[in-house]
Coordinates of all heavy atoms in Angstrom, one line a residue:
I1 N 104.7 108.0 88.7 CA 103.5 108.9 88.6 C 103.8 110.2 88.0 O 103.1 110.8 87.1 CB 102.8 109.0 89.9 CG1 102.3 107.6 90.4 CG2 101.6 110.0 89.9 CD1 101.7 107.6 91.8
V2 N 104.9 110.8 88.4 CA 105.3 112.1 88.0 C 105.6 112.1 86.5 O 105.1 112.9 85.7 CB 106.6 112.6 88.7 CG1 107.2 113.8 88.1 CG2 106.3 112.9 90.2
R3 N 106.3 111.1 86.0 CA 106.7 110.9 84.6 C 105.5 110.7 83.8 O 105.2 111.4 82.7 CB 107.7 109.8 84.4 CG 108.0 109.5 83.0 CD 108.9 108.3 82.8 NE 108.3 107.1 83.4 CZ 107.3 106.4 82.9 NH1 106.8 106.8 81.7 NH2 106.8 105.4 83.5
L4 N 104.6 109.8 84.2 CA 103.4 109.4 83.4 C 102.5 110.6 83.2 O 101.8 110.6 82.2 CB 102.7 108.2 84.1 CG 101.7 107.5 83.2 CD1 102.3 106.9 82.0 CD2 101.1 106.3 84.1
N5 N 102.4 111.5 84.2 CA 101.4 112.5 84.1 C 102.0 113.9 83.8 O 101.4 114.9 83.9 CB 100.7 112.6 85.5 CG 99.8 111.4 85.7 OD1 98.7 111.4 85.2 ND2 100.3 110.4 86.4
G6 N 103.4 113.9 83.6 CA 104.0 115.1 83.2 C 103.9 116.2 84.3 O 103.7 117.4 84.0
L7 N 104.1 115.8 85.6 CA 103.9 116.7 86.7 C 105.2 117.5 86.8 O 106.3 117.0 87.1 CB 103.6 116.0 88.0 CG 102.3 115.1 88.0 CD1 102.2 114.4 89.3 CD2 101.1 116.0 87.7
A8 N 105.1 118.8 86.6 CA 106.3 119.7 86.8 C 106.7 119.8 88.2 O 107.9 119.9 88.6 CB 106.0 121.1 86.2
N9 N 105.7 119.8 89.1 CA 105.9 119.9 90.5 C 105.1 118.9 91.3 O 103.9 119.1 91.5 CB 105.6 121.3 91.1 CG 106.0 121.5 92.6 OD1 106.3 120.5 93.2 ND2 105.9 122.7 93.0
P10 N 105.7 117.8 91.7 CA 104.9 116.7 92.4 C 104.2 117.1 93.7 O 103.4 116.4 94.2 CB 105.9 115.6 92.6 CG 107.2 116.3 92.6 CD 107.1 117.4 91.6
N11 N 104.7 118.3 94.2 CA 104.0 118.8 95.4 C 102.8 119.6 95.2 O 102.2 120.1 96.1 CB 105.1 119.6 96.2 CG 106.3 118.8 96.7 OD1 106.1 117.7 97.1 ND2 107.5 119.3 96.5
R12 N 102.5 119.8 93.9 CA 101.3 120.6 93.6 C 100.4 119.8 92.7 O 100.5 119.7 91.5 CB 101.7 121.9 92.9 CG 102.6 122.8 93.7 CD 102.9 124.1 93.1 NE 101.6 124.9 92.9 CZ 101.6 126.1 92.5 NH1 102.6 126.7 91.9 NH2 100.4 126.8 92.4
I13 N 99.4 119.1 93.3 CA 98.3 118.5 92.6 C 97.0 119.0 93.2 O 97.0 119.5 94.3 CB 98.4 116.9 92.8 CG1 98.4 116.5 94.3 CG2 99.6 116.4 92.1 CD1 98.4 115.0 94.5
R14 N 96.0 119.0 92.4 CA 94.7 119.7 92.8 C 93.6 118.6 93.0 O 93.6 117.6 92.3 CB 94.3 120.7 91.7 CG 93.9 120.1 90.4 CD 93.6 121.2 89.4 NE 93.1 120.6 88.1 CZ 93.8 120.1 87.2 NH1 95.2 120.1 87.3 NH2 93.3 119.5 86.1
I15 N 92.7 119.0 93.9 CA 91.5 118.1 94.1 C 90.7 118.0 92.8 O 90.5 118.9 92.1 CB 90.6 118.7 95.2 CG1 91.4 118.7 96.5 CG2 89.3 118.0 95.3 CD1 90.7 119.4 97.7
G16 N 90.4 116.7 92.5 CA 89.6 116.4 91.3 C 90.5 116.1 90.1 O 90.0 115.6 89.1
Q17 N 91.8 116.3 90.2 CA 92.7 116.0 89.2 C 92.8 114.4 89.0 O 92.8 113.7 90.0 CB 94.1 116.5 89.5 CG 95.2 116.3 88.4 CD 96.5 116.9 88.8 OE1 96.6 117.7 89.8 NE2 97.5 116.7 87.9
K18 N 92.9 114.0 87.7 CA 92.9 112.5 87.5 C 94.4 112.2 87.1 O 94.9 112.7 86.2 CB 91.9 112.1 86.4 CG 90.5 112.4 86.8 CD 89.5 111.8 85.7 CE 88.1 112.1 86.1 NZ 87.7 111.5 87.4
L19 N 94.9 111.3 87.9 CA 96.3 110.9 87.6 C 96.3 109.4 87.1 O 95.8 108.5 87.8 CB 97.1 110.9 89.0 CG 97.3 112.3 89.6 CD1 98.0 112.2 90.9 CD2 98.0 113.3 88.6
E20 N 96.9 109.2 85.9 CA 97.0 107.9 85.4 C 98.2 107.2 86.1 O 99.2 107.8 86.4 CB 97.3 108.0 83.9 CG 97.3 106.6 83.2 CD 97.5 106.6 81.7 OE1 97.3 107.7 81.2 OE2 97.9 105.6 81.1
L21 N 98.0 105.9 86.4 CA 99.0 105.2 87.1 C 99.7 104.2 86.2 O 99.1 103.8 85.2 CB 98.3 104.4 88.3 CG 97.6 105.3 89.3 CD1 96.8 104.5 90.3 CD2 98.6 106.3 90.0
P22 N 100.9 103.8 86.6 CA 101.6 102.8 85.8 C 100.9 101.5 85.6 O 100.0 101.1 86.4 CB 102.9 102.6 86.5 CG 103.1 103.8 87.4 CD 101.7 104.2 87.7
A23 N 101.3 100.7 84.6 CA 100.6 99.5 84.3 C 100.7 98.5 85.4 O 99.9 97.6 85.6 CB 101.1 98.9 83.0
N24 N 101.8 98.6 86.3 CA 102.0 97.7 87.3 C 101.4 98.1 88.6 O 101.6 97.6 89.7 CB 103.5 97.5 87.6 CG 104.2 98.8 88.0 OD1 103.7 99.9 87.7 ND2 105.3 98.7 88.7
A25 N 100.5 99.1 88.6 CA 99.8 99.6 89.8 C 98.9 98.4 90.3 O 98.3 97.7 89.6 CB 98.9 100.8 89.4
S26 N 99.0 98.3 91.6 CA 98.3 97.2 92.3 C 96.9 97.5 92.5 O 96.5 98.2 93.4 CB 99.0 96.9 93.6 OG 98.2 95.9 94.3
T27 N 96.0 97.0 91.6 CA 94.6 97.2 91.8 C 94.1 96.3 93.0 O 92.9 96.4 93.4 CB 93.8 96.8 90.6 OG1 94.1 95.5 90.2 CG2 94.1 97.8 89.5
G28 N 94.9 95.4 93.5 CA 94.6 94.6 94.7 C 94.4 95.6 95.9 O 93.9 95.2 96.9
S29 N 94.9 96.8 95.8 CA 94.8 97.8 96.9 C 93.6 98.7 96.6 O 93.4 99.6 97.4 CB 96.1 98.6 97.0 OG 97.2 97.8 97.4
S30 N 92.8 98.5 95.6 CA 91.7 99.3 95.4 C 90.7 99.2 96.5 O 90.6 98.2 97.2 CB 91.0 99.0 94.0 OG 90.3 97.7 94.1
I31 N 89.8 100.2 96.6 CA 88.9 100.2 97.7 C 87.9 99.1 97.7 O 87.6 98.4 98.7 CB 88.1 101.6 97.7 CG1 89.1 102.8 98.1 CG2 87.0 101.6 98.7 CD1 89.7 102.6 99.5
A32 N 87.4 98.8 96.5 CA 86.5 97.7 96.3 C 87.1 96.4 96.8 O 86.4 95.5 97.4 CB 86.0 97.6 94.9
T33 N 88.3 96.1 96.3 CA 89.0 94.9 96.7 C 89.2 94.8 98.2 O 89.1 93.7 98.8 CB 90.3 94.7 95.9 OG1 90.0 94.8 94.5 CG2 91.0 93.4 96.2
L34 N 89.7 95.9 98.8 CA 90.0 95.9 100.2 C 88.7 95.6 101.0 O 88.8 94.8 102.0 CB 90.6 97.2 100.6 CG 92.0 97.5 100.0 CD1 92.5 98.9 100.5 CD2 93.0 96.5 100.4
A35 N 87.6 96.2 100.6 CA 86.4 96.0 101.3 C 85.9 94.5 101.2 O 85.4 94.0 102.1 CB 85.3 96.9 100.8
A36 N 86.1 94.0 100.0 CA 85.7 92.6 99.8 C 86.6 91.6 100.6 O 86.1 90.6 101.1 CB 85.9 92.2 98.3
R37 N 87.8 92.0 100.8 CA 88.7 91.1 101.6 C 88.3 91.0 103.1 O 88.4 90.0 103.8 CB 90.1 91.6 101.6 CG 90.9 91.4 100.3 CD 92.3 91.8 100.5 NE 93.0 92.0 99.2 CZ 94.2 92.7 99.1 NH1 94.8 93.2 100.2 NH2 94.7 92.8 97.9
Y38 N 87.8 92.2 103.6 CA 87.5 92.3 105.0 C 86.0 92.7 105.2 O 85.7 93.9 105.5 CB 88.4 93.3 105.6 CG 89.9 92.9 105.6 CD1 90.7 93.2 104.6 CD2 90.4 92.1 106.6 CE1 92.0 92.8 104.5 CE2 91.7 91.7 106.6 CZ 92.5 92.0 105.6 OH 93.8 91.6 105.5
P39 N 85.1 91.8 105.0 CA 83.6 92.1 105.1 C 83.1 92.5 106.5 O 82.0 93.1 106.6 CB 83.0 90.9 104.6 CG 83.9 89.7 104.9 CD 85.3 90.4 104.8
N40 N 83.9 92.3 107.5 CA 83.4 92.6 108.9 C 84.0 93.8 109.5 O 83.9 94.1 110.7 CB 83.7 91.4 109.8 CG 83.0 90.1 109.3 OD1 81.8 90.2 109.0 ND2 83.7 89.0 109.3
L41 N 84.7 94.6 108.7 CA 85.3 95.8 109.2 C 84.2 96.8 109.8 O 83.1 96.9 109.3 CB 86.0 96.6 108.1 CG 87.3 96.0 107.5 CD1 87.8 96.8 106.4 CD2 88.4 96.0 108.6
P42 N 84.6 97.5 110.9 CA 83.7 98.5 111.4 C 83.3 99.5 110.4 O 84.2 99.9 109.5 CB 84.5 99.1 112.6 CG 85.5 98.1 112.9 CD 85.9 97.4 111.7
R43 N 82.1 100.0 110.4 CA 81.7 101.0 109.4 C 82.6 102.3 109.4 O 82.7 102.9 108.4 CB 80.2 101.4 109.7 CG 79.2 100.3 109.5 CD 79.0 100.1 108.0 NE 78.5 101.2 107.3 CZ 77.2 101.5 107.2 NH1 76.3 100.7 107.7 NH2 76.8 102.5 106.5
S44 N 83.1 102.6 110.6 CA 84.0 103.8 110.6 C 85.2 103.7 109.8 O 85.8 104.6 109.3 CB 84.4 104.1 112.1 OG 85.1 103.1 112.6
I45 N 85.5 102.4 109.4 CA 86.7 102.2 108.5 C 86.2 101.8 107.1 O 86.6 102.4 106.1 CB 87.5 101.0 109.0 CG1 88.2 101.4 110.3 CG2 88.5 100.6 108.0 CD1 88.9 100.3 111.1
S46 N 85.2 100.9 107.0 CA 84.8 100.5 105.6 C 84.1 101.7 104.9 O 84.2 101.7 103.6 CB 83.7 99.4 105.7 OG 82.6 99.8 106.5
D47 N 83.6 102.7 105.6 CA 82.9 103.8 104.9 C 83.9 105.0 104.7 O 83.5 106.0 104.2 CB 81.7 104.3 105.7 CG 80.5 103.3 105.6 OD1 80.6 102.3 104.8 OD2 79.6 103.4 106.4

């Protein structure tokens, strides 16, 4: 992530900043996919 986004200091990222992820990033961990896997999660988690 540091290399792909040219981050000089990985400890300094800002809210709203868009970070491109490597091609092998697991979209299986995306929010939409996770919610679809577990449709009965309590709202305090799914939301």
Side-chain angles (χ1 to χ4, degrees):
I1 295 177
V2 169
R3 176 187 55 78
L4 194 60
N5 293 276
L7 299 178
N9 185 348
N11 296 316
R12 298 187 67 179
I13 55 177
R14 66 182 184 279
I15 293 174
Q17 182 175 357
K18 295 186 183 300
L19 297 177
E20 185 175 343
L21 302 174
N24 64 334
S26 173
T27 55
S29 295
S30 71
I31 292 300
T33 302
L34 295 178
R37 285 185 198 168
Y38 295 90
N40 298 315
L41 287 175
R43 290 288 298 274
S44 61
I45 293 172
S46 62
D47 291 349

